[in-house]
Amino acid sequence: MDNASPLAFHFDVDGNDFTSAGEASVQVKKILRRIGIDSEAIRRVSIAMYEAEINMVIHAGGGEAELFITDDKVTLVMTDRGPGIADIELAMREGYSTAPDNIRSLGFGAGMGLPNIKRYTDELNIESEVGKGTKITMSVNI
């Protein structure tokens, strides 16, 4: 692969449908396996992407995921048009959640999504505007 022209893939993340949540991260895992990425890097990318997908389903009604693969890293850009994150620093705290009770009763919304994304990635950038949406850019070195 050439860093000047990364492999690129696009995925739509369905909103409000927990049965399809995680489908994009499963597809990414298959792509990374097929091109021979290290299994530990695949695990880290898959966990971080799954967490971002679940957040999109819970909070934003879905969104889009872009995958870019270069010689040295896998980058994911997750974009939604949800309510945005009012306080990113607070949202990064383990256990902090704005998920409603009906989502928590399904076993989601424990407040570990963003902390887990940070834990499993080498680079993380969160841009969010209340009322407009959130863009999370994350990378895992390979």
Side-chain angles (χ1 to χ4, degrees):
M1 284 174 286
D2 178 358
N3 275 328
S5 57
L7 290 175
F9 301 88
H10 174 89
F11 304 91
D12 291 316
V13 177
D14 290 332
N16 303 313
D17 181 5
F18 285 98
T19 58
S20 67
E23 283 183 8
S25 57
V26 168
Q27 293 304 313
V28 167
K29 184 187 286 187
K30 288 178 183 176
I31 290 166
L32 297 178
R33 269 196 197 126
R34 202 172 355 183
I35 62 173
I37 301 297
D38 173 73
S39 62
E40 177 60 16
I42 293 172
R43 183 181 78 82
R44 294 174 61 214
V45 168
S46 298
I47 291 169
M49 184 171 181
Y50 178 78
E51 293 285 10
E53 276 186 86
I54 291 298
N55 279 353
M56 284 181 166
V57 172
I58 292 171
H59 301 289
E64 297 178 348
E66 301 288 339
L67 169 68
F68 303 97
I69 306 164
T70 61
D71 288 335
D72 58 350
K73 66 183 169 181
V74 174
T75 301
L76 289 159
V77 180
M78 311 289 287
T79 308
D80 69 53
R81 289 167 222 35
I85 302 170
D87 186 336
I88 293 172
E89 187 177 328
L90 182 60
M92 291 299 296
R93 289 190 196 157
E94 289 189 12
Y96 176 79
S97 178
T98 58
D101 288 341
N102 66 314
I103 299 299
R104 290 175 191 243
S105 71
L106 296 172
F108 299 100
M112 293 303 295
L114 291 177
N116 278 339
I117 292 169
K118 183 177 182 181
R119 182 175 293 118
Y120 289 103
T121 58
D122 295 304
E123 297 172 42
L124 174 62
N125 183 52
I126 301 171
E127 301 169 54
S128 192
E129 189 174 338
V130 173
K132 300 232 176 176
T134 301
K135 178 180 176 181
I136 297 176
T137 304
M138 57 184 128
S139 296
V140 173
N141 297 331
I142 53 174

